[in-house]
Amino acid sequence: MTSPSPAAEGSPPVIAPLTPHRVLVLNSGSSSLKYQLLDMRDSSRLASGLVERIGERGSRLVHSPLAGGAAEPRERTEPMADHTAALKAVAEELAADGLGLDSPQLAAIGHRVVHGGKHFTEPTVIDDAVIAEIERLIPVAPLHNPANLTGIRTARELRPDLPQVAVFDTAFHTTMPEAAARYAIDAATADAHRIRRYGFHGTSHAYVSRRTAALLGKDPSEVNVIVLHLGNGASASAVRGGVCVETSMGLTPLEGLVMGTRSGDVDPAVVFHLKRVAGMDIDEVDALLNKRSGLVGLCGDNDMREIRRRIDEGDEAARLAFDVYVHRLKKYIGAYYAVLGRVDAVVFTAGVGENAAPVREAAVAGLEELGLVVDAELNAVRSGEPRLISPARARVAVAVVPTDEELEIATQAYALVRG
Ligand code: ADP
């Protein structure tokens, strides 16, 4: 779209080019590609979608046009051998909605990159040196960074002229003091292998902590917030005056809270024990702790809805899984309270945090002495809006703030390319 400028009489009308204002956000997994196209003038969504089973049999693209009077999602099932084929199919669907990736209105492509190490503390415009650095971090993120790089390379092929911005899951946590980031292991070994606590979900923790300050009518610099990001993966963070000072995930996303399929904290000696006593090799233990632990390990289900349904039917394993999950959560709330000294808000986000009222209630139960109380009626309200669930005069606000990682990635990428 272009808008005409007032033209002097007799001269041809001057057409002022519209500033590019769209950002495509890409989240590339090893066999998947999630995307959203946003209009940064009003942060609205123009389209979103997902390609699954890339490079496998039965690749599938589901595309949702979201602009003006949103149409029904469209589905394509056809062989997509690699991410290049997948992104081309996405580009065709966007073009069919008049939102082609060749449009001059596209300002940037924002890529979610899981591991930025210590090096990447900010969103970064991607060039060959940035790609080389993301590659160098593969040993600490062997599953995620290669997939993210595939998305980056594919998008660069498609629009080599366009700024591509990497937004790192770890960046928000790079402000953690050394006392929180260091493991107490032999320092030379740790340094040689870049072993330290990096943290993940940073884009969500950044967005949600800022949004919580707004909910309280304060500037982020004025408030101390504990953010509980409870999705399939789960992590907590302590944010002092807008700056992250502690988070629960570590070298990898395995540390910390009980998750859908990950154990979170365990005694590291469990690994030696499984090797010596059960004869398991490292890959087997890795798969056990990452894929067959957490809620699924405890009760066979990782979906909190199903776990609540089973508890209502009197299922003991589901009850125990819920209790272990909540106990760990409460431990982290207490620990981060101590880290911060003063807490203004505890905020729940992501699939479980936004939807599971019983988890929120149980996590805060018994913490009245810390000023933490949940109002049962407010907690029961279902809404997609940021909201308080603590009573009006509570000392510490308890809140639910829906996360929006795509909007945060787009906002950061757009701010960077617009200077
Ligand atoms: P991720 O992005 O990490 O895959 P999400 O943030 O989408 O995960 O969270 C997914 C999880 O949210 C599900 O596994 C389920 O446990 C939980 N969840 C989603 N909806 C509900 C609900 N209505 N009630 C309880 N839990 C829910």
Side-chain angles (χ1 to χ4, degrees), residues 34 201 229-233 302-305 350-352 355-356 382:
K34 290 189 204 149
H201 291 146
H229 176 112
L230 311 177
N232 222 339
N302 64 341
D303 193 312
M304 195 50 83
R305 285 163 287 200
V352 176
N355 296 296
R382 297 193 64 82

Side-chain angles (χ1 to χ4, degrees), residues 39-57:
D39 184 330
M40 299 317 291
R41 292 173 302 185
D42 58 1
S43 303
S44 64
R45 257 138 273 225
L46 301 169
S48 74
L50 164 70
V51 192
E52 293 171 307
R53 296 195 285 278
I54 298 168
E56 299 168 16
R57 288 230 318 252

Side-chain angles (χ1 to χ4, degrees), residues 121-134:
T121 59
E122 300 282 346
T124 305
V125 173
I126 297 168
D127 58 17
D128 291 343
V130 170
I131 289 182
E133 185 59 29
I134 298 171

Side-chain angles (χ1 to χ4, degrees), residues 33-261:
L33 178 66
K34 290 189 204 149
Y35 62 94
Q36 280 195 12
L37 184 67
L38 292 99
D39 184 330
M40 299 317 291
R41 292 173 302 185
D42 58 1
S43 303
S44 64
R45 257 138 273 225
L46 301 169
S48 74
L50 164 70
V51 192
E52 293 171 307
R53 296 195 285 278
I54 298 168
E56 299 168 16
R57 288 230 318 252
S59 311
R60 175 166 167 263
L61 162 63
V62 181
H63 174 82
S64 300
L66 301 173
E72 286 293 300
R74 299 194 294 270
E75 194 175 318
R76 277 168 71 159
T77 45
E78 64 198 39
M80 292 182 221
D82 51 24
H83 281 72
T84 308
L87 190 57
K88 280 197 177 132
V90 170
E92 284 167 18
E93 292 305 318
L94 289 168
D97 296 336
L99 300 167
L101 296 188
D102 51 357
S103 165
Q105 296 178 24
L106 190 60
I109 299 182
H111 295 268
R112 175 187 181 215
V113 179
V114 168
H115 216 310
K118 272 174 81 172
H119 185 83
F120 292 112
T121 59
E122 300 282 346
T124 305
V125 173
I126 297 168
D127 58 17
D128 291 343
V130 170
I131 289 182
E133 185 59 29
I134 298 171
E135 252 170 357
R136 228 169 58 83
L137 289 161
I138 288 176
V140 283
L143 295 181
H144 293 107
N145 275 25
N148 301 155
L149 279 168
T150 306
I152 289 171
R153 291 200 172 99
T154 306
R156 282 182 107 203
E157 276 168 31
L158 208 70
R159 281 294 306 268
D161 55 314
L162 199 67
Q164 315 254 343
V165 178
V167 178
F168 298 92
D169 262 24
T170 45
F172 185 60
H173 305 304
T174 53
T175 50
M176 268 195 291
E178 283 299 285
R182 276 279 180 171
Y183 291 110
I185 64 172
D186 173 66
T189 307
D191 290 342
H193 301 287
R194 283 178 288 182
I195 298 170
R196 59 190 280 115
R197 307 189 56 255
Y198 294 99
F200 299 88
H201 291 146
T203 315
S204 175
H205 287 280
Y207 174 83
V208 170
S209 56
R210 236 182 28 243
R211 197 71 193 73
T212 303
L215 182 68
L216 300 180
K218 300 242 167 92
D219 189 81
S221 63
E222 299 172 307
V223 290
N224 292 350
V225 183
I226 297 175
V227 180
L228 305 168
H229 176 112
L230 311 177
N232 222 339
S235 62
S237 70
V239 183
R240 175 181 290 133
V243 176
C244 178
V245 294
E246 175 58 287
T247 194
S248 60
M249 285 177 165
L251 173 73
T252 78
L254 184 56
E255 190 179 343
L257 300 176
V258 176
M259 311 181 209
T261 66

